[in-house]
């Protein structure tokens, strides 16, 4: 009997998606450590990475990074396939769908901030829709809607400003980090 091995070629795009997904997963883990005064309200730090990927590499890469972040985050946080995981998955799917449609809007009027706000509203809309179908009565959701909408607006705008600043920052010269030795003063 001979051993057979399946070899899958790994491309530069695969490596880039893995690096970006690792960054998004790290932000998900960091965000989980931040206490929230209102259950379910989080800043969505990993969405910064997702929006950056969308704007720089396209929707397909953003969907891969989002899916990997969701699965690995659920696994590492111990809530894989728990209700919170499914709520996050619903929010991520609706958010990606909204971004997929919104990226075709005129860039002059819809930049990173407005795209981030739309994605945040899509995310919370997907979560509330699933919660309404599965977990809570509609009357309870209507009472929560203003709080979640305000949080989506605020965090979406803040994350969008961060994305806009990151996109406007000058590109690095290819080095991983700056020199540890300060320049000498004559």
């Amino acid at each position: 009997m001979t051993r057979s091995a399946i070899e899958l070629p790994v491309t530069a795009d695969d490596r880039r998606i893995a690096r970006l997904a690792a960054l998004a997963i790290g932000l998900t883990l960091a965000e989980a450590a931040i206490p929230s005064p209102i259950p379910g309200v989080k800043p969505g730090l990993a969405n910064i990475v997702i929006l950056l990927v969308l704007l720089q590499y396209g929707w397909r890469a953003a969907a891969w990074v989002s899916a990997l972040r969701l699965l690995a985050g659920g696994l590492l946080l111990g809530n894989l396939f728990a209700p919170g995981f499914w709520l996050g998955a619903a929010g991520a799917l609706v958010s990606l769908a909204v971004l997929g449609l919104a990226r075709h809007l005129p860039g002059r009027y819809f930049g990173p901030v407005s795209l981030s706000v739309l994605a945040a509203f899509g995310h919370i809309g997907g979560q509330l829709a699933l919660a309404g179908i599965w977990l809570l009565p509609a009357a309870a959701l209507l009472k929560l809607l203003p709080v979640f909408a305000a949080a989506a607006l605020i965090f979406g705008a803040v994350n969008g400003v961060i994305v806009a600043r990151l996109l406007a920052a000058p590109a690095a010269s290819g080095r991983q980090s700056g020199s540890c030795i300060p320049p000498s003063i004559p």
Side-chain angles (χ1 to χ4, degrees):
M1 227 183 214
T2 62
R3 284 182 13 143
S4 64
I6 297 174
E7 291 188 31
L8 298 174
V10 179
T11 66
D13 288 338
D14 295 335
R15 288 185 182 95
R16 179 178 41 242
I17 287 173
R19 282 193 308 270
L20 292 165
L23 178 59
I25 293 163
L27 289 173
T28 297
L29 296 176
E31 184 177 81
I34 299 171
S36 176
I38 302 169
V41 174
K42 296 193 178 234
L45 299 175
N47 295 330
I48 295 169
V49 177
I50 306 298
L51 188 56
L52 276 171
V53 171
L54 174 82
L55 294 172
Q56 290 184 329
Y57 304 110
W59 188 87
R60 183 176 174 180
W64 271 109
V65 171
S66 182
L68 291 169
R69 179 207 61 86
L70 185 67
L71 288 171
L75 185 62
L76 292 170
L77 293 172
N79 66 356
L80 189 63
F81 304 129
F85 171 83
W86 294 113
L87 291 171
L93 284 173
V94 173
S95 178
L96 280 170
V98 167
L99 285 173
L101 295 172
R103 70 184 176 129
H104 298 295
L105 296 171
R108 185 167 69 171
Y109 302 113
F110 293 93
V113 176
S114 56
L115 289 176
S116 180
V117 170
L118 287 173
F121 276 112
H123 193 88
I124 198 63
Q127 288 183 327
L128 289 177
L130 182 62
I133 293 168
W134 186 24
L135 299 172
L136 295 174
L141 286 178
L142 288 177
K143 292 178 183 177
L144 296 173
L145 189 60
V147 173
F148 286 121
L153 179 63
I154 292 167
F155 290 130
V158 169
N159 290 347
V161 168
I162 292 169
V163 170
R165 291 216 170 185
L166 289 171
L167 289 172
S173 62
R175 294 188 319 199
Q176 292 294 326
S177 63
S179 173
C180 294
I181 303 171
S184 60
I185 301 174

